[in-house]
Amino acid sequence: MSYNLEIDLLRSFSAIADTGSLSRAALRLAKTQSALSMQVKRLEELTGRCLLNRGGRGVTLTAHGLRLLAHARDILRAHDRALADLTGRGLSGSVRFGCPDDYAAAFLPGLVGSFTSAHPDVLIEIVCGSTQRLNRMLERHQLDLALVSIVNPSANDDVIRIEPLVWVGRTGFPVWNSAPLPLALTEVDTFDHQAVLNSLEHDGRNFRIAYASASLAGLTAVVRSGQAVAVLTRPAVPADLLELGPDANLPGLPQLGITIAFDKVASSELAERFAAHIRHTLPKL
């Protein structure tokens, strides 16, 4: 009886661990669910251990499954690195990448386009959302890496780029002179929402939250209506809207540092290579 831990078995097991579901792993790997079940059974026979707990909401790893996953990650990274080095082939596979909404329009075309042009066999699955949401997804192993924000970064932070938060309104609709100030804000737990309230309260400015939207498109639509002002990072300000300057008499806002966060358990060679590309490319965009 062979006791080899075959690469294909380990890759399938890693995908199941990543997705928490045999069905989702099957879609990712273009295999049938029954084929994956047989591969898990084969691994359990080889190791003599139960590796998965199966439940109505998917699967979780047993203690032995977690131990195998750590070894599988190391083996797969070493295998893929050796194969790419010896064959001269480009990267292949998929990477799950998170990006805040306000950076997506400005940065994603340059980041993703240049990387996939160099590595056409790579699939990048993109999720847009707030830094808080992306961090939660990383903790749940639903992303491989993400661009995230840090408020008022220090010299000790691993920051790739710094962008200011700015007030945004519509030309010809000076609602920033209104009392109370009408605001269009994102979700309560986001950095920009908290920064706006802190700045206004510190300045003693009366305000009302007139509109709330979880999406950048919703916020900019409200500002275009001329009914409220919003706060965005500078790269996210559309050309048809106005970045408000000192004449608007609005309080100052903090800067955001952009950095990369990883799934601390499931790092991959592909994720590391894409992160290196981001570090090289993002400052130039």
Side-chain angles (χ1 to χ4, degrees), residues 17 34 37-38 41 82 90 94 101 112-113 145 154 165 171 188 249 285:
S34 60
S37 294
M38 291 299 295
K41 182 179 178 181
S94 63
D101 261 340
V112 173
L145 73 165
S154 69
L165 287 170
T171 302
V188 173
N249 293 317
L285 296 177

Side-chain angles (χ1 to χ4, degrees), residues 143-183:
L143 293 174
D144 297 304
L145 73 165
L147 282 182
V148 295
S149 298
I150 302 171
V151 179
N152 287 326
S154 69
N156 295 325
D157 292 317
D158 183 17
V159 171
I160 305 170
R161 179 172 176 144
I162 293 177
E163 293 293 346
L165 287 170
V166 297
W167 294 98
V168 181
R170 178 181 171 184
T171 302
F173 290 78
V175 293
W176 49 89
N177 293 324
S178 303
L181 177 70
L183 300 174

Side-chain angles (χ1 to χ4, degrees), residues 86-97:
L86 294 172
T87 63
R89 295 175 188 167
L91 293 173
S92 63
S94 63
V95 62
R96 299 162 301 168
F97 174 56

Side-chain angles (χ1 to χ4, degrees), residues 210-224:
Y211 301 89
S213 175
S215 75
L216 180 64
L219 291 182
T220 54
V222 170
V223 177
R224 286 190 179 98

Side-chain angles (χ1 to χ4, degrees), residues 95-99 124-125 127 134 138 142-148 260-263 266 268 270-276 278:
V95 62
R96 299 162 301 168
F97 174 56
C99 181
I124 301 178
E125 304 173 35
V127 175
L134 298 178
L138 287 167
Q142 296 170 331
L143 293 174
D144 297 304
L145 73 165
L147 282 182
V148 295
I260 300 174
F262 292 88
D263 178 342
S268 68
L270 180 52
E272 290 167 3
R273 292 282 293 275
F274 186 43
I278 292 171

